[in-house]
Amino acid sequence: NAGVTQTPKFQVLKTGQSMTLQCAQDMNHNSMYWYRQDPGMGLRLIYYSASEGTTDKGEVPNGYNVSRLNKREFSLRLESAAPSQTSVYFCASSEGVMVDNEQFFGPGTRLTVL
Amino acid sequence: RKEVEQDPGPFNVPEGATVAFNCTYSNSASQSFFWYRQDCRKEPKLLMSVYSSGNEDGRFTAQLNRASQYISLLIRDSKLSDSATYLCVVNGPYSGAGSYQLTFGKGTKLSVIP
């Protein structure tokens, strides 16, 4: 099992460009999440999908959109990238959103917006 | 508002030392508590859950004090391989629809020195 996979691993964008970060999990998990991690800020939740067909905003959703394509895949789209979106993006999944479910993380995407 | 606070460190300790990390949280309604470990430029991984009665996993001991709203992690007989950033994680805030988000602390960096 690959666990949680993310593509791409690295990306450089110019301000105003758009891109989609892809995430897939092979653990048959119901819930999936997108976080960003900035130096000195910790992990912050952007969007999550409690189950296939649902998505909800997290702490920092502005500038992002998500799609839960199917149970396995959850993508994050930046429509018009800004330098403030330079960050490391992590996708995660869990069996469900119950309070004690472990979240499994992908290896991350390092995004730089110039 | 700082919901989960940790001493950022770094903690530089010699091999074999005992080191303790503390974490405080602000949401008194939180029900679940975790320590995650994050190696440099890697994704976070669950180290252990924290239970009210305290729990131990080998050289690692986690304690929870609900009255004071703090969590601790004790590492005994430190190994070089323990060098990492340790993230304190608490469930909350409640986001509706029966789901809970996880709130991550900024992490405490540990370096174990030969």
Side-chain angles (χ1 to χ4, degrees):
Chain A
N1 287 352
V4 180
T5 56
Q6 292 182 235
T7 56
K9 286 189 169 59
F10 302 92
Q11 184 71 50
V12 178
L13 292 177
K14 293 181 180 177
T15 296
Q17 288 185 316
S18 62
M19 78 162 297
T20 300
L21 281 65
Q22 306 286 353
C23 174
Q25 51 90 10
D26 62 2
M27 295 175 281
N28 201 35
H29 284 168
N30 291 306
S31 302
M32 298 185 73
Y33 313 81
W34 276 106
Y35 292 90
R36 61 178 288 174
Q37 187 173 37
D38 303 296
M41 294 295 293
L43 278 152
R44 293 182 292 170
L45 184 65
I46 304 171
Y47 271 93
Y48 69 101
S49 171
S51 60
E52 187 178 356
T54 70
T55 60
D56 285 287
K57 296 178 181 179
E59 181 185 354
V60 288
N62 290 346
Y64 305 95
N65 285 301
V66 291
S67 296
R68 183 74 182 267
L69 303 169
N70 47 56
K71 191 172 185 179
R72 289 187 64 248
E73 298 172 287
F74 188 38
S75 63
L76 178 73
R77 182 158 178 85
L78 286 70
E79 290 291 350
S80 179
S84 60
Q85 294 178 304
T86 293
S87 188
V88 181
Y89 292 85
F90 288 103
C91 177
S93 71
S94 65
E95 288 187 14
V97 291
M98 298 303 292
V99 296
D100 57 353
N101 282 170
E102 177 182 357
Q103 291 190 13
F104 295 82
F105 286 80
T109 294
R110 284 169 172 73
L111 174 67
T112 300
V113 182
L114 302 175
Chain B
R1 182 184 67 186
K2 296 180 180 178
E3 297 186 27
V4 178
E5 287 199 59
Q6 297 181 249
D7 183 339
F11 283 62
N12 299 315
V13 302
E15 272 186 290
T18 295
V19 61
F21 306 136
N22 291 325
C23 162
T24 58
Y25 61 95
S26 61
N27 185 354
S28 60
S30 296
Q31 299 176 38
S32 297
F33 311 89
F34 312 91
W35 285 101
Y36 276 69
R37 170 192 168 129
Q38 186 172 24
D39 293 315
C40 186
R41 299 183 68 81
K42 298 288 188 181
E43 71 272 22
K45 293 183 180 178
L46 180 66
L47 177 66
M48 58 197 303
S49 300
V50 186
Y51 303 116
S52 296
S53 55
N55 48 300
E56 190 173 303
D57 183 2
R59 298 181 293 108
F60 298 83
T61 300
Q63 297 277 355
L64 169 64
N65 185 320
R66 284 186 185 272
S68 301
Q69 294 181 210
Y70 83 77
I71 307 151
S72 65
L73 177 67
L74 184 76
I75 305 175
R76 292 180 299 278
D77 189 22
S78 298
K79 312 289 185 191
L80 295 176
S81 57
D82 293 334
S83 296
T85 296
Y86 291 84
L87 307 176
C88 178
V89 184
V90 175
N91 89 284
Y94 178 64
S95 58
S99 64
Y100 289 79
Q101 299 177 21
L102 293 181
T103 300
F104 287 76
K106 296 176 184 179
T108 297
K109 185 173 182 180
L110 171 66
S111 293
V112 181
I113 304 161

